[in-house]
């Protein structure tokens, strides 16, 4: 797959030769809007028994919960499978094991997050995409986390009416996990495609991937990255803040080293005095009070985070429903 900015759906043609069909492009607002507007409803339950497989490495319990909720919303059953030795297996072996699961389900959700080598998980998913005999939907890797980003943007769009010309600040915040900046990258690309003005603020060495920033800026022409030792104050016209904790790409996979660097910036923290009046706030779990944000802010009406998991599952369910209803071998792009 040549385009790293596209989420792919693999559909087998009648002669069993694989075709690679994009479900949506992160930089195409038409398809992103279709997905955001296709929020799950009771009318979206898939008829008949549906078995959804989940084959994942490196995900957390929230990813698992989201997949379970989405399958349940569709009236289906989620079956969890695991690669036996993902870190020690060759790409060919991972593809073969994936094929075992894919042949047993109606739809396969895959995720591969490699916390030792940035980009390795994305490469694994690309290789898997070329060899699967069934419908596959990629949930996340260490470079992109589209459904998490879509949940954030959907909640903001609902409250703001439109993301066009809205000012969204994605801010690094002090935490304890230092996950990959995958949600940051997806927010940059999808948010820019939808016309939002996006700024990323982070301490030195915690900047997002430069090629993602360049691509996002080419879509909207209004992407900025600000690095500074102290968290900058917010302008009064900021529509929303998405506060996330993420790893330094220079020290990717080294939790202790990340923690040592981050401790110098533990004052990157949001409370009720940090946000201008009317500014919305979002983060994602694990939520540690008095780290990323104060308890009072997290319990305020400005905080949309309590809706994040449900919205993420609704959007995933909408994407899954579209894939399950898509005839095999077609070239259309819709949900």
């Amino acid at each position: 797959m040549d385009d790293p900015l596209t989420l792919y759906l693999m559909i087998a043609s009648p002669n069993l030769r694989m075709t690679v069909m994009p479900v949506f492009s992160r930089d195409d607002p038409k398809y992103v809007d279709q997905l955001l507007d296709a929020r799950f409803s009771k009318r979206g339950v898939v008829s008949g028994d549906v078995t959804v497989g989940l084959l994942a490495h490196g995900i957390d319990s929230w990813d698992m919960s989201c997949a379970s909720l989405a399958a349940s919303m569709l009236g289906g059953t989620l079956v969890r499978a695991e690669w036996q030795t993902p870190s020690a297996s060759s790409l060919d072996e991972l593809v073969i094991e994936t094929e075992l699961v894919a042949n047993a389900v109606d739809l396969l959700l895959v995720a591969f997050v490699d916390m030792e080598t940035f980009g390795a998980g994305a490469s694994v998913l690309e290789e898997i995409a070329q060899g699967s005999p069934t419908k596959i939907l990629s949930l996340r890797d260490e470079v992109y986390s589209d459904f998490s980003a879509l949940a954030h943007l959907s909640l903001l769009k609902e409250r703001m009416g439109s993301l066009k010309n809205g000012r969204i600040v994605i801010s690094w915040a002090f935490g304890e996990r230092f996950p990959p900046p995958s949600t940051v990258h997806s927010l940059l690309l999808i948010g820019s495609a939808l016309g939002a003005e996006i700024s990323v603020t982070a301490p030195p060495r915690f900047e997002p991937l430069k090629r993602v920033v360049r691509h996002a800026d080419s879509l909207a022409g209004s992407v900025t990255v600000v690095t500074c030792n102290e968290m900058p104050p917010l302008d009064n016209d900021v529509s929303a803040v998405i506060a996330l904790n993420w790893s330094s790409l220079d020290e990717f996979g080294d939790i202790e080293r990340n923690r040592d660097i981050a401790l110098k910036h533990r004052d990157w923290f949001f409370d009720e005095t940090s946000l201008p009046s009317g500014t919305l706030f979002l983060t994602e779990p694990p939520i540690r009070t008095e780290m990323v944000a104060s308890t009072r802010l997290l319990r305020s009406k400005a905080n949309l985070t309590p809706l994040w998991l449900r919205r993420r599952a609704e959007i995933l369910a909408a994407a899954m429903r579209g894939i399950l209803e898509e005839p095999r071998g077609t070239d259309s792009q819709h949900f």
Side-chain angles (χ1 to χ4, degrees):
M1 298 190 294
D2 296 329
D3 180 4
L5 303 180
T6 302
L7 177 65
Y8 288 94
L9 161 67
M10 283 55 67
I11 296 183
S13 58
N15 61 2
L16 297 183
R17 295 189 63 184
M18 295 306 302
T19 59
V20 181
M21 187 183 81
V23 176
F24 72 88
S25 296
R26 299 182 186 97
D27 56 1
D28 188 333
K30 175 183 177 183
Y31 297 118
V32 173
D33 265 330
Q34 282 184 340
L35 188 56
L36 290 183
D37 293 340
R39 283 185 51 203
F40 181 79
S41 68
K42 290 297 182 183
R43 293 175 298 174
V45 173
V46 176
S47 60
D49 295 329
V50 174
T51 302
V52 179
L54 173 62
L55 188 56
H57 171 66
I59 65 171
D60 60 27
S61 61
W62 295 100
D63 294 316
M64 180 66 184
S65 297
C66 179
S68 297
L69 282 168
S72 178
M73 288 174 176
L74 293 175
T77 301
L78 184 74
V79 176
R80 174 74 187 270
E82 294 182 358
W83 289 287
Q84 293 304 302
T85 54
S87 59
S89 300
S90 68
L91 282 175
D92 286 340
E93 290 166 341
L94 292 173
V95 170
I96 291 170
E97 289 189 8
T98 303
E99 194 170 344
L100 289 172
V101 182
N103 276 316
V105 298
D106 299 300
L107 168 67
L108 180 60
L109 307 177
V110 293
F112 201 110
V113 179
D114 190 319
M115 284 303 297
E116 294 184 359
T117 306
F118 187 77
S123 297
V124 168
L125 294 185
E126 289 179 9
E127 188 70 21
I128 285 172
Q130 303 303 320
S132 173
T134 192
K135 297 181 178 183
I136 286 184
L137 183 60
S138 171
L139 291 184
R140 69 152 67 227
D141 52 53
E142 64 277 2
V143 185
Y144 297 110
S145 181
D146 293 321
F147 288 100
S148 179
L150 285 165
H152 289 303
L153 294 171
S154 174
L155 290 168
L156 293 180
K157 181 182 178 182
E158 184 176 73
R159 287 290 293 270
M160 295 162 56
S162 172
L163 295 178
K164 291 183 178 179
N165 303 317
R167 288 198 62 196
I168 299 173
V169 172
I170 305 168
S171 177
W172 186 89
F174 183 73
E176 60 181 13
R177 287 185 63 238
F178 310 106
S182 49
T183 301
V184 179
H185 293 156
S186 290
L187 282 168
L188 275 167
L189 291 171
I190 299 172
S192 295
L194 294 175
E197 180 182 340
I198 299 181
S199 298
V200 179
T201 59
R205 305 182 70 176
F206 287 95
E207 302 92 336
L209 200 62
K210 288 184 174 59
R211 68 174 173 85
V212 174
V213 174
R214 287 195 299 269
H215 189 85
D217 188 61
S218 73
L219 299 174
S222 57
V223 173
T224 58
V225 176
V226 177
T227 57
C228 47
N229 287 309
E230 297 182 358
M231 191 172 74
L234 296 171
D235 294 334
N236 290 329
D237 60 348
V238 171
S239 307
V241 172
I242 303 174
L244 303 169
N245 175 246
W246 67 83
S247 168
S248 165
L249 294 179
D250 292 336
E251 309 294 341
F252 185 76
D254 189 337
I255 299 298
E256 292 302 321
R257 180 61 178 152
N258 268 283
R259 184 175 292 110
D260 290 343
I261 299 171
L263 282 171
K264 302 174 184 177
H265 309 291
R266 63 189 310 162
D267 58 338
W268 285 62
F269 161 87
F270 289 89
D271 60 23
E272 62 279 8
T273 67
S274 305
L275 302 184
S277 176
T279 299
L280 302 171
F281 181 82
L282 275 159
T283 185
E284 60 185 33
I287 300 169
R288 297 289 182 263
T289 57
E290 311 308 324
M291 279 193 177
V292 169
S294 69
T295 301
R296 186 171 179 178
L297 174 57
L298 291 170
R299 289 180 175 175
S300 73
K301 293 182 179 180
N303 179 34
L304 304 183
T305 307
L307 304 174
W308 172 84
L309 179 61
R310 179 179 178 85
R311 185 59 54 87
R312 185 180 173 191
E314 288 175 340
I315 293 173
L316 177 58
M320 291 164 61
R321 183 186 68 189
I323 293 171
L324 288 165
E325 293 175 350
E326 188 71 46
R328 288 180 179 266
T330 65
D331 293 324
S332 61
Q333 294 180 317
H334 61 82
F335 294 93

